[in-house]
Amino acid sequence: MNTFAEENYLKAILSLSIQGEELVSTNSIATELNTSAASVSDMLKKLQEKKLIIYKKYKGVALNKQGKSIAVNILRKHRLWETFLVKKLDFNWDEVHDVAEQLEHIKSEELIDKLDSFLYYPKFDPHGEVIPTKEGTIPQTDRVLLSEIEENTNGIVLGVSLDETSFLQYLNKLKIEIGTEIQIFDRIDFDKSVNISINNKKQNISNEVAKHLLIKNK
Amino acid sequence: MNTFAEENYLKAILSLSIQGEELVSTNSIATELNTSAASVSDMLKKLQEKKLIIYKKYKGVALNKQGKSIAVNILRKHRLWETFLVKKLDFNWDEVHDVAEQLEHIKSEELIDKLDSFLYYPKFDPHGEVIPTKEGTIPQTDRVLLSEIEENTNGIVLGVSLDETSFLQYLNKLKIEIGTEIQIFDRIDFDKSVNISINNKKQNISNEVAKHLLIKNK
DNA sequence: AAATAAATTTAGATATATCTAAAAATAAAT
DNA sequence: ATTTATTTTTAGATATATCTAAATTTATTT
Ligand SMILES: [Mn+2]
Ligand SMILES: [Mn+2]
Ligand SMILES: [Mn+2]
Ligand SMILES: [Mn+2]
């Protein structure tokens, strides 16, 4: 049985791997978890001993099979709970992340099975993020980040890759939500911002925001 | 913010107070929480410093106003979660206690408010135990324990005062559930067991079981 | 290649929550 | 009222998870 802290570290490593880091660095984990690099080193040693990661001092860390399985399961629980909170308890999409951070650590396989069934086996969470299967796979989707999308195309927002309150409330203000149709014009070289229009209203989206918008071309 | 351990100690003290101990003893807390008397002493010192209990060394402990408020709130959360698990997720009444032990520690007032609303403000949990109000009061009921009920009367089982799996599964076997009508004949002096009948079938109920059955006379 | 900077790990502390064994206080028995 | 037994507390360890500051390794400049 793993502690909350161990589970959070495994989830952080998974998240950084998905974002593209092959060998995840100590510092990026520290940033992700708002803790010190020293604490990360301590915990990596411990996870290494528990045989959940492949860790080479000064080089970086990756999840091994068992570590990945645990991390994906936490992610599954996180997203199922978020779905429950929005679909059943009427929370808004920008209010659920912090509570899900707690609920994801509840230990009961039967609970999650029944929650999944109660929600009619959802495929996506309230942020459009894909929910991993009970078997531990993360279904692949054909979404592209707005920060990397081709210029002069049309698309539809299918999700966000970040579920922090401040980000989601900013999207609310920009009138960007799941299902919003957008036209993509061009990307500015200088700051990597993107010019788009929503309902024929032109606007400029910063790279910081564009990096977290999942778009499907149409 | 209190730790899980602190919350569990406060809840244990509340539970023992309700069961009749005016000054709760170190040993009874140790038994209730399956821990050592030494650990209890350590924690009582800590809760004393946090001003949540009234503690006199070697004498015993009681909750103060703030400690009671916290404990009642944990009990409320425990029973609301149990209700959710049975009513919405189709758990049986003998399967929910352990998961509720985890869920009761989730910190979010809004979550509990919304859960309460989602369940249509239930007054009793799946074991017939009364759910404390948001304001922190425990509504009084006129139930009597089978171990203390008057002889030669009729009654109906409205609840149990213990929600451990082994006890509830034994009740399932005895065909005793909430709503079961029983006739009470007499109480045996020697072992305080009670002779009753259910559907005209006579049986003898041990004091250990009778102590946890909440009956309403009719 | 050597010097400097950045990233990472280790050393040494602190805080929480446990435990066993020993000491102290209280209760019960003689 | 002593002695004995029980209950409770303290002393001293262990385990987890953090931190800051110092040491070490790796990467970048000059
Ligand atoms: Mn978490
Ligand atoms: Mn999400
Ligand atoms: Mn608990
Ligand atoms: Mn209950």
Side-chain angles (χ1 to χ4, degrees):
Chain A
M1 197 64 56
N2 306 295
T3 65
F4 284 22
E6 288 165 355
E7 291 183 346
N8 284 337
Y9 274 90
L10 293 174
K11 196 165 61 111
I13 298 167
L14 175 67
S15 172
L16 293 165
S17 302
I18 291 172
Q19 281 165 52
E21 277 190 73
E22 291 238 344
L23 270 186
V24 177
S25 75
T26 299
N27 260 357
S28 59
I29 297 171
T31 304
E32 177 89 3
L33 293 179
N34 257 298
T35 188
S36 69
S39 297
V40 175
S41 283
D42 286 345
M43 182 58 93
L44 292 182
K45 205 181 293 171
K46 192 181 160 200
L47 292 174
Q48 167 95 300
E49 272 158 28
K50 290 187 84 170
K51 294 198 199 311
L52 299 175
I53 58 175
I54 300 146
Y55 171 45
K56 289 200 188 95
K57 270 201 232 173
Y58 292 102
K59 298 300 184 184
V61 65
L63 296 171
N64 70 12
K65 201 169 174 182
Q66 224 215 309
K68 185 169 180 186
S69 162
I70 293 165
V72 169
N73 193 242
I74 304 289
L75 193 64
R76 169 173 160 81
K77 293 198 276 182
H78 183 99
R79 292 179 177 172
L80 279 171
W81 278 117
E82 283 189 343
T83 305
F84 166 73
L85 293 172
V86 168
K87 284 278 167 62
K88 300 292 184 177
L89 296 195
D90 278 326
F91 277 89
N92 297 318
W93 77 334
D94 58 338
E95 299 172 323
V96 295
H97 179 72
D98 291 346
V99 181
E101 279 297 316
Q102 297 180 62
L103 287 163
E104 71 190 6
H105 302 291
I106 302 290
K107 269 107 184 157
S108 168
E109 205 182 323
E110 202 179 356
L111 173 60
I112 289 302
D113 288 348
K114 288 189 184 254
L115 189 66
D116 195 18
S117 157
F118 184 56
L119 298 170
Y120 304 109
Y121 308 99
K123 291 200 158 51
F124 300 97
D125 84 356
H127 311 104
E129 288 170 300
V130 66
I131 296 174
T133 66
K134 182 172 161 62
E135 291 70 38
T137 61
I138 304 178
Q140 289 310 302
T141 54
D142 56 352
R143 295 121 183 243
V144 189
L145 294 176
L146 181 59
S147 56
E148 284 165 15
I149 209 165
E150 212 183 320
E151 293 171 81
N152 296 308
T153 54
N154 292 326
I156 182 165
V157 177
L158 287 190
V160 294
S161 63
L162 179 70
D163 50 7
E164 273 171 25
T165 305
S166 59
F167 174 59
L168 297 173
Q169 286 184 348
Y170 181 51
L171 292 188
N172 290 342
K173 208 167 146 188
L174 292 174
K175 305 266 185 238
I176 295 175
E177 55 187 29
I178 291 176
T180 300
E181 296 187 27
I182 62 177
Q183 291 173 270
I184 297 97
F185 302 120
D186 60 327
R187 183 172 291 108
I188 307 300
D189 241 32
F190 174 66
D191 63 359
K192 305 270 189 284
S193 67
V194 189
N195 286 315
I196 68 168
S197 80
I198 299 174
N199 289 327
N200 296 314
K201 199 182 143 199
K202 289 193 178 184
Q203 46 192 122
N204 178 269
I205 303 289
S206 74
N207 178 257
E208 268 308 300
V209 170
K211 271 198 301 192
H212 296 296
L213 287 177
L214 299 164
I215 311 293
K216 184 177 179 169
N217 268 124
K218 47 176 265 175
Chain B
M1 197 64 55
N2 307 296
T3 64
F4 284 22
E6 288 165 355
E7 291 183 346
N8 283 337
Y9 273 90
L10 293 174
K11 195 165 61 113
I13 298 167
L14 175 67
S15 172
L16 293 165
S17 304
I18 290 172
Q19 281 165 51
E21 278 190 73
E22 290 237 345
L23 270 186
V24 177
S25 75
T26 299
N27 259 357
S28 60
I29 297 171
T31 304
E32 176 90 3
L33 293 179
N34 259 298
T35 187
S36 69
S39 297
V40 176
S41 283
D42 286 346
M43 182 59 93
L44 292 182
K45 205 180 295 171
K46 193 181 160 198
L47 292 174
Q48 168 95 301
E49 271 157 28
K50 290 186 85 170
K51 295 197 199 307
L52 299 175
I53 58 174
I54 300 147
Y55 171 45
K56 290 200 187 94
K57 270 200 230 174
Y58 292 103
K59 297 300 182 183
V61 65
L63 295 171
N64 70 12
K65 200 169 175 182
Q66 223 214 309
K68 184 168 182 186
S69 163
I70 293 165
V72 169
N73 193 242
I74 303 290
L75 193 64
R76 169 174 160 81
K77 293 198 277 181
H78 183 99
R79 292 179 177 172
L80 279 172
W81 278 115
E82 283 188 343
T83 305
F84 166 72
L85 294 172
V86 168
K87 285 277 167 61
K88 301 291 184 177
L89 296 196
D90 278 324
F91 277 91
N92 297 319
W93 76 335
D94 58 339
E95 298 172 324
V96 295
H97 179 73
D98 291 346
V99 181
E101 279 297 317
Q102 298 179 62
L103 287 163
E104 71 189 6
H105 301 292
I106 301 290
K107 268 107 184 156
S108 168
E109 205 183 324
E110 201 179 357
L111 173 61
I112 290 302
D113 288 348
K114 288 189 183 251
L115 189 66
D116 195 19
S117 156
F118 184 56
L119 298 169
Y120 304 108
Y121 307 99
K123 291 199 159 50
F124 300 98
D125 84 357
H127 311 105
E129 290 171 300
V130 66
I131 297 174
T133 66
K134 182 173 161 61
E135 291 71 37
T137 61
I138 304 179
Q140 290 310 303
T141 55
D142 56 354
R143 294 126 183 236
V144 189
L145 294 176
L146 181 59
S147 56
E148 284 165 14
I149 209 165
E150 213 183 319
E151 294 170 80
N152 296 307
T153 54
N154 291 327
I156 182 165
V157 177
L158 287 191
V160 294
S161 63
L162 180 71
D163 51 6
E164 274 171 24
T165 304
S166 59
F167 173 60
L168 297 174
Q169 287 184 347
Y170 181 50
L171 292 187
N172 291 342
K173 208 167 148 187
L174 292 175
K175 305 266 186 239
I176 294 174
E177 54 186 29
I178 291 176
T180 299
E181 296 186 27
I182 62 177
Q183 290 173 270
I184 297 98
F185 302 120
D186 60 327
R187 184 172 290 107
I188 308 299
D189 242 32
F190 175 65
D191 64 358
K192 306 269 188 282
S193 68
V194 190
N195 286 314
I196 67 166
S197 81
I198 298 174
N199 289 327
N200 296 313
K201 200 182 143 200
K202 287 192 178 184
Q203 45 192 122
N204 178 267
I205 303 289
S206 75
N207 178 259
E208 268 308 300
V209 169
K211 270 197 302 194
H212 295 297
L213 287 177
L214 299 164
I215 312 292
K216 183 176 179 173
N217 267 125
K218 47 175 264 175

